[in-house]
Amino acid sequence: LEDPAFEFTDDARQWVDRGTCLTFNLLKYIVPGKLNRGLSVIDSYKLLKEGKDLTEDEVFLASALGWCIEWLQAYFLVLDDIMDNSHTRRGQPCWFRVEKVGMIAVNDGVLLRNHIPRILKKHFRAKPYYVDLLDLFNEVEFQTASGQMIDLITTLEGEKDLSKYKLSVHRRIVQYKTAYYSFYIPVACALLMAGENLDNHVLVKNVLIEMGVYFQVQDDYLDCFGAPEVIGKIGTDIEDFKCSWLVVQALERVNEEQKKVLYENYGKVDPACVAKVKALYNDLNLQGVFEEYESNSYNKLISSIEEHPSKPVQAVLKSFLGKIYKRQK
Amino acid sequence: LEDPAFEFTDDARQWVDRGTCLTFNLLKYIVPGKLNRGLSVIDSYKLLKEGKDLTEDEVFLASALGWCIEWLQAYFLVLDDIMDNSHTRRGQPCWFRVEKVGMIAVNDGVLLRNHIPRILKKHFRAKPYYVDLLDLFNEVEFQTASGQMIDLITTLEGEKDLSKYKLSVHRRIVQYKTAYYSFYIPVACALLMAGENLDNHVLVKNVLIEMGVYFQVQDDYLDCFGAPEVIGKIGTDIEDFKCSWLVVQALERVNEEQKKVLYENYGKVDPACVAKVKALYNDLNLQGVFEEYESNSYNKLISSIEEHPSKPVQAVLKSFLGKIYKRQK
Ligand SMILES: [Mg+2]
Ligand SMILES: [Mg+2]
Ligand SMILES: [Mg+2]
Ligand SMILES: [Mg+2]
Ligand SMILES: [Mg+2]
Ligand SMILES: [Mg+2]
């Protein structure tokens, strides 16, 4: 928090401390159970180094990049909760709902984001890949914000329209909103640290995007079919009229009568409506559809990975895939 | 709007077009009468080139940087209106108040900001000063967001407390919230284009910050004492409990009785209260205090500028100062 670009007063520091605390909290309860985006920079870098011991400096730098990714996520989560008018984030009230915060949370979100260039400048300014790091974080921020945009405009309040929910739409939302910042950027950071040029790693990028999509499909599946005591929350995608992979698959399989049931019951809070949707999902055997999707995805991902000429890169990608394949939470 | 990082669908493009239109509108009615931050990059660059004709390419690049500054401002204005719960921006409803937009405006603001790195990458990636441009925009964004933070926490709704309003607080808010992005960044962009190292231009930076502060003091003064038909709006700083330069000066000059009047009437919408505050400003001769401040600032700025070893740089700074000195709007 020391930065020559801005002198803090006590008041300001108090505010920031309060914010930072919350952010640490946010991170603490967002990250576990998920992929732990931050740590995966170190993990990936280790694998790229093929088991050679990392120097203290390398560990420090990889952690710094991990933190940048966490700040990026915190920034998007704070703003996302405002836009979704959410109430809680893993059991705690959303930041904008905390007393006295309100819409100031918008600026707090922006300040979280600003940690990224400050960390990069402080620790990477002299590295040959400094400019590539800046470009990378800028690109991924743009992609994530673009994903948010398509998500927000397809689920516009007051225009509940199931006919928009197609597989291609679902894929685009997921790819831009989640996959780049959750899957691509940690590995891209590790590659840059290892001296690689990202232009030579289109295959890696594509595989990671596919993994991100697969991860989100699992998320959508578990929201309905996962055990609440295992995933740690009760899914509400049906109530929330989400463009979930399940409803998209259902829409591709319904007959006229079932379609009517779906249109009449999707997006309602009434538990009877939710139950009807779930019954329909069962009638359409969406669990089976998912299992088939899961094993297909896995096989395709493995064969794409094995096309890669570098064994260490393969190891990074397989390690990622291993962490999420058949996950129950 | 063409970018390989994101493929637009028709829906998304429609949304962006709608947003961009508004942004152009925003800019159109924000910029005139003010400093025209965008154009000042070209103006400054011309002066640095000492009247040599600019090539078409130089004009293009300077304009591109001007646009980056305009996007930066648009981003901050869209978010600022949300946080201030404002109603209109130069006669039009604020973006977040437009039908169907609402809190999606947060993400739209973020997308506006993302134009900056995209423009920079597209047109400056190969320039030796590319990384300095990225650093500059990042630093100024951080400073502006920090200024917003101190502004928001000193004017926290529900904690109306005049005793916090000191000259040092006013100065800090203004310096960070306005001066860097309005005064410093256009000249800094022109210097980078001219091949200069910004570390060698601390004097320039300091002079521009001082000018930014002076500009905001004028703004505060005109809000109360300017002619509404000239400035194009009716000031409401008194009603809004703003940390204006005028109230800060008043607080430094009041006796016990006058202090009571100020505490009882500042920040109320009732025209009778506003009138009492204005009467007090007159009793304290704040017009005279301002005139003295104005000529002092001018003299100090001129002598700082004349300390600068380079005539072209002096010309840039004097041109800026000439545009704002004794302005009536
Ligand atoms: Mg959300
Ligand atoms: Mg959302
Ligand atoms: Mg989910
Ligand atoms: Mg405002
Ligand atoms: Mg404001
Ligand atoms: Mg004003």
Side-chain angles (χ1 to χ4, degrees):
Chain A
L1 276 176
E2 296 303 324
D3 195 311
F6 181 69
E7 321 141 37
F8 285 92
T9 54
D10 285 349
D11 250 25
R13 192 168 284 285
Q14 229 175 35
W15 182 264
V16 171
D17 286 348
R18 201 174 158 203
T20 313
C21 269
L22 182 108
T23 314
F24 276 98
N25 287 341
L26 261 179
L27 298 178
K28 250 190 298 176
Y29 46 86
I30 284 151
V31 174
K34 294 225 176 165
L35 256 201
N36 216 325
R37 295 162 183 82
L39 284 176
S40 57
V41 181
I42 306 193
D43 293 347
S44 304
Y45 187 70
K46 263 189 208 146
L47 291 167
L48 290 176
K49 285 276 157 176
E50 300 181 74
K52 262 175 253 151
D53 275 345
L54 305 192
T55 66
E56 228 176 273
D57 192 47
E58 287 175 310
V59 171
F60 177 82
L61 292 176
S63 309
L65 293 177
W67 272 102
C68 288
I69 299 172
E70 296 295 351
W71 292 123
L72 185 68
Q73 182 180 34
Y75 158 58
F76 276 116
L77 293 178
V78 167
L79 301 187
D80 182 69
D81 285 341
I82 296 172
M83 294 186 278
D84 294 344
N85 200 21
S86 300
H87 288 265
T88 54
R89 176 67 64 193
R90 302 264 156 142
Q92 298 232 119
C94 299
W95 182 229
F96 81 97
R97 292 197 181 270
V98 171
E99 212 206 317
K100 289 190 195 172
V101 177
M103 285 305 129
I104 299 184
V106 172
N107 197 62
D108 290 337
V110 168
L111 284 171
L112 293 177
R113 186 213 158 272
N114 277 277
H115 284 66
I116 300 166
R118 289 167 67 210
I119 293 172
L120 295 181
K121 189 168 179 194
K122 190 160 178 187
H123 302 296
F124 296 90
R125 188 65 164 91
K127 302 285 178 195
Y129 54 88
Y130 176 60
V131 72
D132 299 301
L133 281 175
L134 290 174
D135 284 348
L136 174 65
F137 275 91
N138 281 326
E139 183 173 344
V140 168
E141 178 181 338
F142 174 59
Q143 287 161 323
T144 308
S146 300
Q148 282 282 24
M149 180 184 66
I150 22 176
D151 186 20
L152 289 161
I153 61 183
T154 46
T155 40
L156 251 190
E157 200 62 54
E159 292 191 11
K160 293 190 174 180
D161 179 6
L162 273 185
S163 69
K164 280 196 209 160
Y165 288 1
K166 303 223 168 64
L167 194 58
S168 59
V169 172
H170 178 267
R171 196 201 146 82
R172 279 174 55 76
I173 294 177
V174 165
Q175 172 179 349
Y176 286 103
K177 195 177 80 164
T178 308
Y180 286 101
Y181 92 83
S182 303
F183 284 78
Y184 174 57
I185 206 174
V187 177
C189 283
L191 285 168
L192 286 176
M193 269 191 68
E196 294 289 325
N197 180 338
L198 294 181
D199 294 337
N200 302 334
H201 288 282
V202 179
L203 177 76
V204 173
K205 187 174 191 163
N206 291 337
V207 166
L208 288 163
I209 300 308
E210 285 312 316
M211 257 189 249
V213 173
Y214 165 57
F215 179 82
Q216 186 60 44
V217 171
Q218 290 177 314
D219 193 80
D220 290 352
Y221 175 81
L222 292 171
D223 189 89
C224 177
F225 294 109
E229 59 287 4
V230 181
I231 62 172
K233 64 175 176 186
I234 296 160
T236 57
D237 283 358
I238 296 172
E239 289 91 329
D240 295 344
F241 201 78
K242 283 275 167 70
C243 181
S244 157
W245 184 83
L246 292 172
V247 75
V248 168
Q249 293 299 333
L251 284 163
E252 289 200 344
R253 284 167 176 78
V254 284
N255 59 32
E256 279 309 309
E257 202 184 323
Q258 292 170 319
K259 190 171 174 177
K260 237 186 109 195
V261 173
L262 204 51
Y263 271 71
E264 276 166 11
N265 294 287
Y266 200 70
K268 305 253 162 80
V269 225
D270 180 358
C273 296
V274 177
K276 279 183 200 153
V277 173
K278 288 201 176 184
L280 182 60
Y281 285 177
N282 278 320
D283 294 346
L284 297 168
N285 184 29
L286 291 192
Q287 303 211 33
V289 176
F290 172 75
E291 275 157 31
E292 172 140 357
Y293 168 86
E294 173 149 64
S295 71
N296 270 341
S297 292
Y298 182 79
N299 293 335
K300 269 196 238 162
L301 283 166
I302 286 290
S303 48
S304 301
I305 291 171
E306 287 175 347
E307 275 172 33
H308 201 283
S310 148
K311 284 282 170 198
V313 172
Q314 288 191 18
V316 170
L317 297 173
K318 282 186 177 171
S319 142
F320 257 77
L321 183 55
K323 280 183 201 158
I324 60 170
Y325 181 54
K326 293 211 165 162
R327 70 191 173 97
Q328 299 298 317
K329 61 167 188 174
Chain B
L1 275 177
E2 296 303 324
D3 195 309
F6 181 70
E7 321 141 37
F8 285 93
T9 54
D10 285 350
D11 251 25
R13 191 168 284 287
Q14 231 175 32
W15 183 264
V16 171
D17 286 349
R18 201 172 160 206
T20 312
C21 270
L22 181 108
T23 314
F24 276 99
N25 287 341
L26 260 180
L27 297 179
K28 250 190 301 178
Y29 45 88
I30 285 151
V31 174
K34 294 225 176 165
L35 256 202
N36 217 325
R37 294 164 184 81
L39 284 176
S40 57
V41 181
I42 307 193
D43 293 346
S44 303
Y45 187 69
K46 263 188 208 147
L47 290 168
L48 289 177
K49 285 276 158 178
E50 299 182 75
K52 263 175 252 152
D53 275 346
L54 305 192
T55 66
E56 228 176 273
D57 192 46
E58 287 174 310
V59 171
F60 177 82
L61 291 176
S63 310
L65 293 177
W67 272 104
C68 288
I69 299 171
E70 296 295 351
W71 292 122
L72 185 67
Q73 182 179 34
Y75 158 58
F76 275 116
L77 293 178
V78 167
L79 301 188
D80 181 70
D81 285 342
I82 296 172
M83 293 186 279
D84 293 344
N85 200 21
S86 300
H87 289 265
T88 54
R89 178 64 67 191
R90 302 264 156 143
Q92 299 232 121
C94 299
W95 182 230
F96 81 98
R97 293 197 180 269
V98 171
E99 212 205 318
K100 288 190 197 173
V101 177
M103 284 306 129
I104 298 184
V106 173
N107 197 62
D108 290 338
V110 168
L111 284 170
L112 294 176
R113 186 211 159 275
N114 277 276
H115 284 66
I116 300 166
R118 289 166 67 210
I119 294 172
L120 295 181
K121 188 168 180 192
K122 191 162 178 188
H123 301 296
F124 297 90
R125 187 66 165 90
K127 303 286 177 195
Y129 53 89
Y130 175 61
V131 71
D132 299 302
L133 281 175
L134 290 175
D135 284 348
L136 175 66
F137 275 91
N138 281 327
E139 182 172 344
V140 169
E141 179 182 336
F142 173 59
Q143 286 162 324
T144 308
S146 301
Q148 283 281 23
M149 180 183 68
I150 21 177
D151 187 20
L152 289 161
I153 61 182
T154 46
T155 39
L156 253 189
E157 200 63 53
E159 292 192 10
K160 293 190 174 179
D161 179 6
L162 273 185
S163 69
K164 280 196 209 160
Y165 288 1
K166 303 223 167 64
L167 194 58
S168 58
V169 172
H170 178 267
R171 196 202 149 82
R172 279 173 57 77
I173 294 177
V174 165
Q175 170 178 352
Y176 287 103
K177 194 177 81 165
T178 309
Y180 286 101
Y181 92 84
S182 303
F183 284 79
Y184 174 58
I185 205 174
V187 177
C189 283
L191 285 169
L192 287 176
M193 269 190 68
E196 295 288 326
N197 180 339
L198 294 180
D199 294 338
N200 302 333
H201 288 283
V202 180
L203 178 76
V204 173
K205 187 174 192 165
N206 291 337
V207 167
L208 288 163
I209 299 308
E210 285 310 317
M211 257 190 249
V213 173
Y214 165 57
F215 179 82
Q216 186 60 44
V217 171
Q218 291 176 312
D219 193 81
D220 290 352
Y221 174 81
L222 292 170
D223 189 271
C224 176
F225 294 110
E229 59 287 3
V230 181
I231 61 173
K233 65 174 178 188
I234 296 160
T236 58
D237 283 358
I238 295 172
E239 290 90 328
D240 296 344
F241 201 76
K242 284 276 167 69
C243 180
S244 157
W245 184 83
L246 292 172
V247 75
V248 167
Q249 292 300 332
L251 284 163
E252 289 201 344
R253 285 169 175 78
V254 285
N255 59 33
E256 278 309 309
E257 201 184 323
Q258 292 169 318
K259 190 171 175 180
K260 239 187 107 194
V261 173
L262 203 51
Y263 271 71
E264 276 166 11
N265 294 286
Y266 200 71
K268 304 251 162 80
V269 226
D270 179 357
C273 296
V274 177
K276 278 185 201 153
V277 173
K278 288 201 178 185
L280 182 60
Y281 285 177
N282 278 318
D283 294 346
L284 296 169
N285 185 29
L286 290 192
Q287 303 211 34
V289 175
F290 172 75
E291 276 157 31
E292 172 140 357
Y293 168 85
E294 174 150 62
S295 71
N296 270 341
S297 292
Y298 183 79
N299 293 335
K300 269 197 235 160
L301 284 166
I302 287 290
S303 48
S304 301
I305 292 170
E306 288 175 348
E307 274 171 33
H308 200 283
S310 147
K311 284 281 170 198
V313 172
Q314 288 192 17
V316 170
L317 298 174
K318 282 186 178 171
S319 143
F320 257 77
L321 183 55
K323 281 183 200 157
I324 61 169
Y325 180 54
K326 292 210 164 164
R327 72 192 175 94
Q328 299 298 317
K329 62 170 186 174

